Amino acid sequence: MAPAAVLGRNFLGFRRHELLKEHRVSRTEKFTPYDSSRDLPWKTSPLKTLNLTFSMGDDVIRRNRIHVVLPDISTLSWEPEVLDAWDDEYGGVVINPWSLPSSANAFASALKTSLFDWKLKGKRGIWLKILEEQADLVPIAIQEGFKYHHAETGFLMLTYWIPDEPCLLPAGPSHQIGVGGFAINDKREVLVVKEKCSCSSSDVWKLPTGYINKSEDLFSGAVREVKEETGVDTAFLEMVAFRHVHLVAFEKSDLLFVCMLKPLSSDIAIDDKEIQAAKWMAYDEFIGQPYYQEDHMLKKAMELCMEAYEDRYCGFIAHQLPSKLDGKLSYLYYYGGPCKI
Amino acid sequence: MAPAAVLGRNFLGFRRHELLKEHRVSRTEKFTPYDSSRDLPWKTSPLKTLNLTFSMGDDVIRRNRIHVVLPDISTLSWEPEVLDAWDDEYGGVVINPWSLPSSANAFASALKTSLFDWKLKGKRGIWLKILEEQADLVPIAIQEGFKYHHAETGFLMLTYWIPDEPCLLPAGPSHQIGVGGFAINDKREVLVVKEKCSCSSSDVWKLPTGYINKSEDLFSGAVREVKEETGVDTAFLEMVAFRHVHLVAFEKSDLLFVCMLKPLSSDIAIDDKEIQAAKWMAYDEFIGQPYYQEDHMLKKAMELCMEAYEDRYCGFIAHQLPSKLDGKLSYLYYYGGPCKI
């Protein structure tokens, strides 16, 4: 009987070549062992359960019922077990997140093998998505040299850049997108809210604002935020302006789009989880608050809204157009002109 | 001598109440053990090293040199070891990422204790940032109920929503921001590139485009991308239009800002890592490509650029304004009008 290969120190604690004798084969089953030898994936034969005698220095130790794999040494060949993956358009690889091994050891082994294989094949960027339920694989990927790319509830995306040159992989999502709704009625009253928070502006009457939802359009988000916070229905008219600011929440950047809205109802019903109060407030009283008078950015944005209301300003209109680029219907925002200025 | 508390099955493999007798105290040292009893953090006294005798059913087992902690049972009080953290403005807690325990066991214990404490105190959203070098703590946080929020190279942010109501925590960054530069010279020639990729549009002459860098302004990004890809210097004139599309890369959303640029030089030197070729191309030949003729979205955007070049269209200008809101100087983009239409 050919000597068994004891696979790596991690598996049994003994070095591979220390097997002296094997005894009895009790049963056969197939498995994929973790092989700590970094660059030598063995072609393996079915697993056997054996009683083995080992040497450790001067000592002789007998261990019973050890599971080992018998390598077919005469036919050693490169048959790496790579992770299931597909090529992208940029010479990179996208790993199938639904076929990752469930065991950490098996994943570690397959990941090493796969990276070795992809390096040989000249691949560039590797994309690895790990679902939340397999979070125990994350430290293994990091240890192997992967970097965090982006994350959201349910999964984490990591990347690995193979070439010995600056990484050309695109960065992950970097911006939060906020919308503010400027709804003014024919009595020149602006729909405003007081937020429920222990922040410095909790006493200020402000426009309803919020972040857009996943895959939500800007104008839809503005109408939704106003409806949720105040109960008032509105229709989007135009994008008056947008602000771009950096190093805000989570040190990320923020785009805030100020949207002109036409009120379609007037009764107020607040969302008391986030809002203390809401009301229709005379524009002059609204813009007269120190919060706006002392802030050039906010004051200018509100003045533009008023100019748009008085037809002295034209913002961007949302135009839905098909694009063959990605087969999607999407919105192009541009000046609808000419303006009645 | 008071009976030692054997801390949990994980630690020694015995149940807490099975200690019969302790023998000799050999030395004293302090440590924080992992306590698997979910909701009962003990006030602990210094660690002692003992020789102990235990019962396991009918068997009596003696173990030497066991490290145990002696609880001061008469003064049992709630002194949970919570993670270092501070309150945010919304009734939540931000955990200090630089003071997380290095050991996984210690982290697991402290996290349980902290969540118990924060629940008692009525806290709402918990923010946990785990640096890359502590990736082994990630599965522990997930197991405790934390969710991925966002990530970038170097760290992962997770959150935990305590109240029994819909989560009000803001979502993480959701958009990638792209810029495209339309640079046209006085011979009505547009600066165009052919990308180096195995994608379907690798044969098309397109505008230089790319994603903006972290904390980079939109117009800066457009000027930079043109410079990097073609070697040509430009100055930003106006934002002609922007496109909003969903479910693109990584199922995220994308905002692409089309920027009108004034060329300041003409010699071309391409970045051959990403670009096959670049040249000045007559506008009619550029827009005549099927890629543009067959795509309503792209064609409209290019036509707007040409109208802007011919002073028949006005986009948004970038105005830098201070904001007291967050003390930052940032840009407000709005129609600079009136237009010479």
Side-chain angles (χ1 to χ4, degrees), chain A residues 89 152 171 174-176 198 242 252 294-295 323-325 331 333, chain B residues 89 152 171 174-176 198 242 244 252 294-295 323-325 333:
Chain A
E89 289 183 334
E152 57 176 80
S174 57
H175 280 60
Q176 285 176 294
S198 55
F242 63 88
K252 293 286 184 180
E294 293 166 11
D295 189 315
S323 176
K324 207 174 159 196
L325 178 65
Y331 283 91
Y333 292 80
Chain B
E89 290 185 332
E152 58 177 78
S174 58
H175 279 60
Q176 284 177 294
S198 54
F242 63 89
H244 193 197
K252 295 286 184 181
E294 294 167 10
D295 189 313
S323 176
K324 208 175 158 192
L325 179 66
Y333 291 80

PDB file of all heavy atoms in Angstrom, chain A residues 89 152 171 174-176 198 242 252 294-295 323-325 331 333, chain B residues 89 152 171 174-176 198 242 244 252 294-295 323-325 333:
ATOM      1  N   GLU A  89     -15.097  42.247 -18.794  1.00  0.00           N
ATOM      2  CA  GLU A  89     -14.651  42.819 -20.071  1.00  0.00           C
ATOM      3  C   GLU A  89     -13.283  43.491 -19.993  1.00  0.00           C
ATOM      4  O   GLU A  89     -12.817  44.044 -20.977  1.00  0.00           O
ATOM      5  CB  GLU A  89     -15.649  43.897 -20.526  1.00  0.00           C
ATOM      6  CG  GLU A  89     -16.986  43.348 -20.988  1.00  0.00           C
ATOM      7  CD  GLU A  89     -17.900  44.466 -21.503  1.00  0.00           C
ATOM      8  OE1 GLU A  89     -17.745  45.632 -21.078  1.00  0.00           O
ATOM      9  OE2 GLU A  89     -18.772  44.158 -22.339  1.00  0.00           O
ATOM     10  N   GLU A 152     -23.141  46.729   1.443  1.00  0.00           N
ATOM     11  CA  GLU A 152     -24.468  47.167   1.832  1.00  0.00           C
ATOM     12  C   GLU A 152     -25.099  46.001   2.574  1.00  0.00           C
ATOM     13  O   GLU A 152     -24.518  44.906   2.604  1.00  0.00           O
ATOM     14  CB  GLU A 152     -25.323  47.597   0.646  1.00  0.00           C
ATOM     15  CG  GLU A 152     -25.517  46.557  -0.422  1.00  0.00           C
ATOM     16  CD  GLU A 152     -26.458  47.037  -1.525  1.00  0.00           C
ATOM     17  OE1 GLU A 152     -25.989  47.779  -2.403  1.00  0.00           O
ATOM     18  OE2 GLU A 152     -27.632  46.658  -1.480  1.00  0.00           O
ATOM     19  N   ALA A 171     -13.431  52.743  -8.244  1.00  0.00           N
ATOM     20  CA  ALA A 171     -13.777  52.765  -6.828  1.00  0.00           C
ATOM     21  C   ALA A 171     -15.266  52.452  -6.666  1.00  0.00           C
ATOM     22  O   ALA A 171     -16.022  52.490  -7.629  1.00  0.00           O
ATOM     23  CB  ALA A 171     -13.472  54.137  -6.240  1.00  0.00           C
ATOM     24  N   SER A 174     -19.520  56.359  -3.948  1.00  0.00           N
ATOM     25  CA  SER A 174     -18.837  57.337  -3.127  1.00  0.00           C
ATOM     26  C   SER A 174     -19.732  58.442  -2.600  1.00  0.00           C
ATOM     27  O   SER A 174     -19.316  59.199  -1.718  1.00  0.00           O
ATOM     28  CB  SER A 174     -17.742  58.007  -3.951  1.00  0.00           C
ATOM     29  OG  SER A 174     -18.336  58.599  -5.105  1.00  0.00           O
ATOM     30  N   HIS A 175     -20.937  58.549  -3.155  1.00  0.00           N
ATOM     31  CA  HIS A 175     -21.783  59.687  -2.817  1.00  0.00           C
ATOM     32  C   HIS A 175     -23.126  59.260  -2.274  1.00  0.00           C
ATOM     33  O   HIS A 175     -23.707  58.260  -2.723  1.00  0.00           O
ATOM     34  CB  HIS A 175     -22.044  60.545  -4.064  1.00  0.00           C
ATOM     35  CG  HIS A 175     -20.921  61.462  -4.408  1.00  0.00           C
ATOM     36  ND1 HIS A 175     -19.649  61.024  -4.699  1.00  0.00           N
ATOM     37  CD2 HIS A 175     -20.876  62.820  -4.502  1.00  0.00           C
ATOM     38  CE1 HIS A 175     -18.876  62.051  -4.956  1.00  0.00           C
ATOM     39  NE2 HIS A 175     -19.589  63.160  -4.847  1.00  0.00           N
ATOM     40  N   GLN A 176     -23.598  60.061  -1.316  1.00  0.00           N
ATOM     41  CA  GLN A 176     -25.001  59.976  -0.935  1.00  0.00           C
ATOM     42  C   GLN A 176     -25.724  61.060  -1.714  1.00  0.00           C
ATOM     43  O   GLN A 176     -25.157  62.138  -1.959  1.00  0.00           O
ATOM     44  CB  GLN A 176     -25.154  60.227   0.565  1.00  0.00           C
ATOM     45  CG  GLN A 176     -24.716  59.033   1.381  1.00  0.00           C
ATOM     46  CD  GLN A 176     -24.783  59.305   2.855  1.00  0.00           C
ATOM     47  OE1 GLN A 176     -24.053  60.125   3.367  1.00  0.00           O
ATOM     48  NE2 GLN A 176     -25.650  58.590   3.547  1.00  0.00           N
ATOM     49  N   SER A 198     -31.599  65.955  18.229  1.00  0.00           N
ATOM     50  CA  SER A 198     -30.948  66.799  19.229  1.00  0.00           C
ATOM     51  C   SER A 198     -29.842  67.619  18.576  1.00  0.00           C
ATOM     52  O   SER A 198     -28.883  68.018  19.201  1.00  0.00           O
ATOM     53  CB  SER A 198     -30.361  65.933  20.350  1.00  0.00           C
ATOM     54  OG  SER A 198     -29.501  64.959  19.795  1.00  0.00           O
ATOM     55  N   PHE A 242     -28.025  72.345  -7.576  1.00  0.00           N
ATOM     56  CA  PHE A 242     -27.549  71.262  -6.718  1.00  0.00           C
ATOM     57  C   PHE A 242     -26.233  71.665  -6.063  1.00  0.00           C
ATOM     58  O   PHE A 242     -25.442  72.437  -6.617  1.00  0.00           O
ATOM     59  CB  PHE A 242     -27.432  69.933  -7.464  1.00  0.00           C
ATOM     60  CG  PHE A 242     -26.431  69.903  -8.593  1.00  0.00           C
ATOM     61  CD1 PHE A 242     -25.106  69.568  -8.355  1.00  0.00           C
ATOM     62  CD2 PHE A 242     -26.835  70.177  -9.885  1.00  0.00           C
ATOM     63  CE1 PHE A 242     -24.192  69.515  -9.411  1.00  0.00           C
ATOM     64  CE2 PHE A 242     -25.933  70.131 -10.937  1.00  0.00           C
ATOM     65  CZ  PHE A 242     -24.603  69.799 -10.701  1.00  0.00           C
ATOM     66  N   LYS A 252     -17.714  60.861   3.486  1.00  0.00           N
ATOM     67  CA  LYS A 252     -18.043  60.707   2.077  1.00  0.00           C
ATOM     68  C   LYS A 252     -18.513  62.050   1.534  1.00  0.00           C
ATOM     69  O   LYS A 252     -18.529  63.053   2.236  1.00  0.00           O
ATOM     70  CB  LYS A 252     -19.166  59.670   1.924  1.00  0.00           C
ATOM     71  CG  LYS A 252     -18.757  58.275   2.296  1.00  0.00           C
ATOM     72  CD  LYS A 252     -17.868  57.646   1.270  1.00  0.00           C
ATOM     73  CE  LYS A 252     -17.561  56.209   1.620  1.00  0.00           C
ATOM     74  NZ  LYS A 252     -16.685  55.560   0.641  1.00  0.00           N
ATOM     75  N   GLU A 294     -27.748  83.809   7.574  1.00  0.00           N
ATOM     76  CA  GLU A 294     -26.308  83.717   7.885  1.00  0.00           C
ATOM     77  C   GLU A 294     -25.576  82.661   7.067  1.00  0.00           C
ATOM     78  O   GLU A 294     -24.383  82.445   7.230  1.00  0.00           O
ATOM     79  CB  GLU A 294     -26.141  83.418   9.384  1.00  0.00           C
ATOM     80  CG  GLU A 294     -26.613  84.577  10.257  1.00  0.00           C
ATOM     81  CD  GLU A 294     -26.758  84.165  11.717  1.00  0.00           C
ATOM     82  OE1 GLU A 294     -26.295  83.055  12.087  1.00  0.00           O
ATOM     83  OE2 GLU A 294     -27.348  84.938  12.496  1.00  0.00           O
ATOM     84  N   ASP A 295     -26.282  81.987   6.188  1.00  0.00           N
ATOM     85  CA  ASP A 295     -25.656  80.933   5.390  1.00  0.00           C
ATOM     86  C   ASP A 295     -25.812  81.258   3.901  1.00  0.00           C
ATOM     87  O   ASP A 295     -26.880  81.092   3.317  1.00  0.00           O
ATOM     88  CB  ASP A 295     -26.316  79.591   5.727  1.00  0.00           C
ATOM     89  CG  ASP A 295     -25.572  78.427   5.111  1.00  0.00           C
ATOM     90  OD1 ASP A 295     -25.198  78.496   3.914  1.00  0.00           O
ATOM     91  OD2 ASP A 295     -25.336  77.432   5.826  1.00  0.00           O
ATOM     92  N   SER A 323     -31.472  54.662 -23.840  1.00  0.00           N
ATOM     93  CA  SER A 323     -30.058  54.634 -24.194  1.00  0.00           C
ATOM     94  C   SER A 323     -29.691  53.239 -24.639  1.00  0.00           C
ATOM     95  O   SER A 323     -29.956  52.273 -23.926  1.00  0.00           O
ATOM     96  CB  SER A 323     -29.189  55.052 -23.014  1.00  0.00           C
ATOM     97  OG  SER A 323     -27.828  54.925 -23.360  1.00  0.00           O
ATOM     98  N   LYS A 324     -29.091  53.160 -25.804  1.00  0.00           N
ATOM     99  CA  LYS A 324     -28.691  51.852 -26.325  1.00  0.00           C
ATOM    100  C   LYS A 324     -27.465  51.359 -25.554  1.00  0.00           C
ATOM    101  O   LYS A 324     -27.175  50.179 -25.520  1.00  0.00           O
ATOM    102  CB  LYS A 324     -28.340  52.017 -27.807  1.00  0.00           C
ATOM    103  CG  LYS A 324     -28.524  50.787 -28.632  1.00  0.00           C
ATOM    104  CD  LYS A 324     -28.289  51.100 -30.098  1.00  0.00           C
ATOM    105  CE  LYS A 324     -27.970  49.804 -30.849  1.00  0.00           C
ATOM    106  NZ  LYS A 324     -27.385  50.036 -32.140  1.00  0.00           N
ATOM    107  N   LEU A 325     -26.762  52.292 -24.938  1.00  0.00           N
ATOM    108  CA  LEU A 325     -25.527  52.003 -24.200  1.00  0.00           C
ATOM    109  C   LEU A 325     -25.725  50.844 -23.246  1.00  0.00           C
ATOM    110  O   LEU A 325     -24.929  49.923 -23.180  1.00  0.00           O
ATOM    111  CB  LEU A 325     -25.119  53.264 -23.425  1.00  0.00           C
ATOM    112  CG  LEU A 325     -23.889  53.185 -22.551  1.00  0.00           C
ATOM    113  CD1 LEU A 325     -22.653  52.966 -23.385  1.00  0.00           C
ATOM    114  CD2 LEU A 325     -23.737  54.461 -21.731  1.00  0.00           C
ATOM    115  N   TYR A 331     -33.025  59.179 -17.103  1.00  0.00           N
ATOM    116  CA  TYR A 331     -33.318  60.598 -17.178  1.00  0.00           C
ATOM    117  C   TYR A 331     -32.087  61.435 -17.465  1.00  0.00           C
ATOM    118  O   TYR A 331     -31.033  61.255 -16.855  1.00  0.00           O
ATOM    119  CB  TYR A 331     -33.988  61.072 -15.886  1.00  0.00           C
ATOM    120  CG  TYR A 331     -35.452  60.667 -15.831  1.00  0.00           C
ATOM    121  CD1 TYR A 331     -35.837  59.459 -15.258  1.00  0.00           C
ATOM    122  CD2 TYR A 331     -36.439  61.487 -16.388  1.00  0.00           C
ATOM    123  CE1 TYR A 331     -37.173  59.076 -15.242  1.00  0.00           C
ATOM    124  CE2 TYR A 331     -37.768  61.108 -16.372  1.00  0.00           C
ATOM    125  CZ  TYR A 331     -38.131  59.902 -15.804  1.00  0.00           C
ATOM    126  OH  TYR A 331     -39.452  59.525 -15.796  1.00  0.00           O
ATOM    127  N   TYR A 333     -31.073  65.333 -17.351  1.00  0.00           N
ATOM    128  CA  TYR A 333     -31.525  66.618 -16.815  1.00  0.00           C
ATOM    129  C   TYR A 333     -30.785  67.724 -17.550  1.00  0.00           C
ATOM    130  O   TYR A 333     -29.544  67.749 -17.562  1.00  0.00           O
ATOM    131  CB  TYR A 333     -31.208  66.708 -15.322  1.00  0.00           C
ATOM    132  CG  TYR A 333     -32.015  65.765 -14.461  1.00  0.00           C
ATOM    133  CD1 TYR A 333     -31.664  64.416 -14.338  1.00  0.00           C
ATOM    134  CD2 TYR A 333     -33.129  66.208 -13.744  1.00  0.00           C
ATOM    135  CE1 TYR A 333     -32.408  63.549 -13.551  1.00  0.00           C
ATOM    136  CE2 TYR A 333     -33.873  65.347 -12.941  1.00  0.00           C
ATOM    137  CZ  TYR A 333     -33.507  64.015 -12.863  1.00  0.00           C
ATOM    138  OH  TYR A 333     -34.235  63.163 -12.069  1.00  0.00           O
TER     139      TYR A 333
ATOM    140  N   GLU B  89     -25.962  62.606  17.474  1.00  0.00           N
ATOM    141  CA  GLU B  89     -27.054  63.578  17.673  1.00  0.00           C
ATOM    142  C   GLU B  89     -28.439  62.969  17.534  1.00  0.00           C
ATOM    143  O   GLU B  89     -29.437  63.690  17.643  1.00  0.00           O
ATOM    144  CB  GLU B  89     -26.937  64.694  16.624  1.00  0.00           C
ATOM    145  CG  GLU B  89     -25.769  65.617  16.818  1.00  0.00           C
ATOM    146  CD  GLU B  89     -25.788  66.782  15.815  1.00  0.00           C
ATOM    147  OE1 GLU B  89     -26.343  66.605  14.705  1.00  0.00           O
ATOM    148  OE2 GLU B  89     -25.252  67.854  16.142  1.00  0.00           O
ATOM    149  N   GLU B 152     -14.904  50.681   2.300  1.00  0.00           N
ATOM    150  CA  GLU B 152     -13.940  51.113   1.307  1.00  0.00           C
ATOM    151  C   GLU B 152     -12.606  50.544   1.754  1.00  0.00           C
ATOM    152  O   GLU B 152     -12.506  49.976   2.859  1.00  0.00           O
ATOM    153  CB  GLU B 152     -13.890  52.629   1.178  1.00  0.00           C
ATOM    154  CG  GLU B 152     -13.552  53.376   2.426  1.00  0.00           C
ATOM    155  CD  GLU B 152     -13.457  54.879   2.176  1.00  0.00           C
ATOM    156  OE1 GLU B 152     -14.503  55.538   2.087  1.00  0.00           O
ATOM    157  OE2 GLU B 152     -12.319  55.372   2.088  1.00  0.00           O
ATOM    158  N   ALA B 171     -28.957  55.285   4.717  1.00  0.00           N
ATOM    159  CA  ALA B 171     -28.201  54.279   3.972  1.00  0.00           C
ATOM    160  C   ALA B 171     -26.806  54.820   3.660  1.00  0.00           C
ATOM    161  O   ALA B 171     -26.551  56.005   3.786  1.00  0.00           O
ATOM    162  CB  ALA B 171     -28.934  53.944   2.671  1.00  0.00           C
ATOM    163  N   SER B 174     -24.450  55.547  -2.229  1.00  0.00           N
ATOM    164  CA  SER B 174     -25.202  54.716  -3.165  1.00  0.00           C
ATOM    165  C   SER B 174     -24.844  54.968  -4.615  1.00  0.00           C
ATOM    166  O   SER B 174     -25.253  54.198  -5.483  1.00  0.00           O
ATOM    167  CB  SER B 174     -26.690  55.006  -3.002  1.00  0.00           C
ATOM    168  OG  SER B 174     -26.929  56.392  -3.221  1.00  0.00           O
ATOM    169  N   HIS B 175     -24.140  56.059  -4.880  1.00  0.00           N
ATOM    170  CA  HIS B 175     -23.909  56.445  -6.266  1.00  0.00           C
ATOM    171  C   HIS B 175     -22.438  56.560  -6.593  1.00  0.00           C
ATOM    172  O   HIS B 175     -21.628  56.990  -5.753  1.00  0.00           O
ATOM    173  CB  HIS B 175     -24.544  57.816  -6.538  1.00  0.00           C
ATOM    174  CG  HIS B 175     -26.017  57.756  -6.796  1.00  0.00           C
ATOM    175  ND1 HIS B 175     -26.911  57.265  -5.877  1.00  0.00           N
ATOM    176  CD2 HIS B 175     -26.748  58.125  -7.876  1.00  0.00           C
ATOM    177  CE1 HIS B 175     -28.133  57.340  -6.380  1.00  0.00           C
ATOM    178  NE2 HIS B 175     -28.070  57.860  -7.591  1.00  0.00           N
ATOM    179  N   GLN B 176     -22.136  56.188  -7.837  1.00  0.00           N
ATOM    180  CA  GLN B 176     -20.847  56.540  -8.407  1.00  0.00           C
ATOM    181  C   GLN B 176     -21.080  57.802  -9.233  1.00  0.00           C
ATOM    182  O   GLN B 176     -22.146  57.965  -9.848  1.00  0.00           O
ATOM    183  CB  GLN B 176     -20.345  55.417  -9.317  1.00  0.00           C
ATOM    184  CG  GLN B 176     -19.814  54.241  -8.525  1.00  0.00           C
ATOM    185  CD  GLN B 176     -19.384  53.104  -9.396  1.00  0.00           C
ATOM    186  OE1 GLN B 176     -20.214  52.506 -10.057  1.00  0.00           O
ATOM    187  NE2 GLN B 176     -18.108  52.806  -9.405  1.00  0.00           N
ATOM    188  N   SER B 198     -12.056  45.082 -23.832  1.00  0.00           N
ATOM    189  CA  SER B 198     -12.652  44.130 -24.759  1.00  0.00           C
ATOM    190  C   SER B 198     -14.169  44.312 -24.788  1.00  0.00           C
ATOM    191  O   SER B 198     -14.913  43.400 -25.059  1.00  0.00           O
ATOM    192  CB  SER B 198     -12.304  42.700 -24.331  1.00  0.00           C
ATOM    193  OG  SER B 198     -12.680  42.514 -22.971  1.00  0.00           O
ATOM    194  N   PHE B 242     -26.839  66.386 -16.988  1.00  0.00           N
ATOM    195  CA  PHE B 242     -26.377  65.194 -16.290  1.00  0.00           C
ATOM    196  C   PHE B 242     -27.409  64.086 -16.459  1.00  0.00           C
ATOM    197  O   PHE B 242     -28.612  64.330 -16.591  1.00  0.00           O
ATOM    198  CB  PHE B 242     -26.068  65.464 -14.818  1.00  0.00           C
ATOM    199  CG  PHE B 242     -27.233  65.898 -13.966  1.00  0.00           C
ATOM    200  CD1 PHE B 242     -28.032  64.956 -13.327  1.00  0.00           C
ATOM    201  CD2 PHE B 242     -27.503  67.245 -13.780  1.00  0.00           C
ATOM    202  CE1 PHE B 242     -29.095  65.365 -12.519  1.00  0.00           C
ATOM    203  CE2 PHE B 242     -28.558  67.654 -12.986  1.00  0.00           C
ATOM    204  CZ  PHE B 242     -29.357  66.715 -12.348  1.00  0.00           C
ATOM    205  N   HIS B 244     -28.949  60.361 -15.051  1.00  0.00           N
ATOM    206  CA  HIS B 244     -29.132  59.535 -13.846  1.00  0.00           C
ATOM    207  C   HIS B 244     -29.608  58.164 -14.281  1.00  0.00           C
ATOM    208  O   HIS B 244     -30.666  58.045 -14.905  1.00  0.00           O
ATOM    209  CB  HIS B 244     -30.161  60.191 -12.920  1.00  0.00           C
ATOM    210  CG  HIS B 244     -30.189  59.600 -11.547  1.00  0.00           C
ATOM    211  ND1 HIS B 244     -31.239  59.790 -10.674  1.00  0.00           N
ATOM    212  CD2 HIS B 244     -29.296  58.841 -10.873  1.00  0.00           C
ATOM    213  CE1 HIS B 244     -30.982  59.174  -9.529  1.00  0.00           C
ATOM    214  NE2 HIS B 244     -29.808  58.596  -9.631  1.00  0.00           N
ATOM    215  N   LYS B 252     -25.618  49.415  -8.550  1.00  0.00           N
ATOM    216  CA  LYS B 252     -25.744  50.725  -7.945  1.00  0.00           C
ATOM    217  C   LYS B 252     -26.228  51.719  -8.993  1.00  0.00           C
ATOM    218  O   LYS B 252     -26.504  51.344 -10.136  1.00  0.00           O
ATOM    219  CB  LYS B 252     -24.386  51.179  -7.399  1.00  0.00           C
ATOM    220  CG  LYS B 252     -23.871  50.325  -6.267  1.00  0.00           C
ATOM    221  CD  LYS B 252     -24.619  50.595  -4.976  1.00  0.00           C
ATOM    222  CE  LYS B 252     -24.031  49.817  -3.826  1.00  0.00           C
ATOM    223  NZ  LYS B 252     -24.743  50.052  -2.568  1.00  0.00           N
ATOM    224  N   GLU B 294     -27.600  56.157 -32.960  1.00  0.00           N
ATOM    225  CA  GLU B 294     -28.594  55.163 -32.524  1.00  0.00           C
ATOM    226  C   GLU B 294     -28.927  55.241 -31.040  1.00  0.00           C
ATOM    227  O   GLU B 294     -29.736  54.470 -30.542  1.00  0.00           O
ATOM    228  CB  GLU B 294     -28.080  53.752 -32.866  1.00  0.00           C
ATOM    229  CG  GLU B 294     -27.973  53.520 -34.360  1.00  0.00           C
ATOM    230  CD  GLU B 294     -27.181  52.253 -34.686  1.00  0.00           C
ATOM    231  OE1 GLU B 294     -26.894  51.468 -33.751  1.00  0.00           O
ATOM    232  OE2 GLU B 294     -26.846  52.048 -35.863  1.00  0.00           O
ATOM    233  N   ASP B 295     -28.333  56.171 -30.348  1.00  0.00           N
ATOM    234  CA  ASP B 295     -28.590  56.283 -28.906  1.00  0.00           C
ATOM    235  C   ASP B 295     -29.137  57.677 -28.597  1.00  0.00           C
ATOM    236  O   ASP B 295     -28.400  58.659 -28.592  1.00  0.00           O
ATOM    237  CB  ASP B 295     -27.290  56.019 -28.129  1.00  0.00           C
ATOM    238  CG  ASP B 295     -27.525  55.906 -26.642  1.00  0.00           C
ATOM    239  OD1 ASP B 295     -28.243  56.756 -26.069  1.00  0.00           O
ATOM    240  OD2 ASP B 295     -26.988  54.959 -26.035  1.00  0.00           O
ATOM    241  N   SER B 323     -20.837  77.747   3.600  1.00  0.00           N
ATOM    242  CA  SER B 323     -22.066  77.343   4.251  1.00  0.00           C
ATOM    243  C   SER B 323     -21.824  77.214   5.736  1.00  0.00           C
ATOM    244  O   SER B 323     -20.892  76.525   6.156  1.00  0.00           O
ATOM    245  CB  SER B 323     -22.563  76.013   3.695  1.00  0.00           C
ATOM    246  OG  SER B 323     -23.714  75.598   4.406  1.00  0.00           O
ATOM    247  N   LYS B 324     -22.641  77.889   6.500  1.00  0.00           N
ATOM    248  CA  LYS B 324     -22.516  77.822   7.962  1.00  0.00           C
ATOM    249  C   LYS B 324     -22.985  76.471   8.468  1.00  0.00           C
ATOM    250  O   LYS B 324     -22.637  76.022   9.536  1.00  0.00           O
ATOM    251  CB  LYS B 324     -23.388  78.935   8.568  1.00  0.00           C
ATOM    252  CG  LYS B 324     -22.915  79.451   9.906  1.00  0.00           C
ATOM    253  CD  LYS B 324     -23.766  80.607  10.355  1.00  0.00           C
ATOM    254  CE  LYS B 324     -23.636  80.748  11.881  1.00  0.00           C
ATOM    255  NZ  LYS B 324     -24.641  81.648  12.438  1.00  0.00           N
ATOM    256  N   LEU B 325     -23.787  75.798   7.642  1.00  0.00           N
ATOM    257  CA  LEU B 325     -24.394  74.509   7.993  1.00  0.00           C
ATOM    258  C   LEU B 325     -23.344  73.546   8.515  1.00  0.00           C
ATOM    259  O   LEU B 325     -23.505  72.882   9.519  1.00  0.00           O
ATOM    260  CB  LEU B 325     -25.073  73.941   6.746  1.00  0.00           C
ATOM    261  CG  LEU B 325     -25.744  72.587   6.866  1.00  0.00           C
ATOM    262  CD1 LEU B 325     -26.926  72.648   7.796  1.00  0.00           C
ATOM    263  CD2 LEU B 325     -26.197  72.087   5.495  1.00  0.00           C
ATOM    264  N   TYR B 333     -24.245  74.547  -7.982  1.00  0.00           N
ATOM    265  CA  TYR B 333     -24.332  74.607  -9.440  1.00  0.00           C
ATOM    266  C   TYR B 333     -25.713  75.108  -9.811  1.00  0.00           C
ATOM    267  O   TYR B 333     -26.732  74.514  -9.423  1.00  0.00           O
ATOM    268  CB  TYR B 333     -24.126  73.211 -10.046  1.00  0.00           C
ATOM    269  CG  TYR B 333     -22.721  72.670  -9.903  1.00  0.00           C
ATOM    270  CD1 TYR B 333     -22.298  72.099  -8.703  1.00  0.00           C
ATOM    271  CD2 TYR B 333     -21.820  72.728 -10.964  1.00  0.00           C
ATOM    272  CE1 TYR B 333     -20.998  71.605  -8.564  1.00  0.00           C
ATOM    273  CE2 TYR B 333     -20.524  72.226 -10.841  1.00  0.00           C
ATOM    274  CZ  TYR B 333     -20.120  71.674  -9.639  1.00  0.00           C
ATOM    275  OH  TYR B 333     -18.851  71.180  -9.508  1.00  0.00           O
TER     276      TYR B 333
END
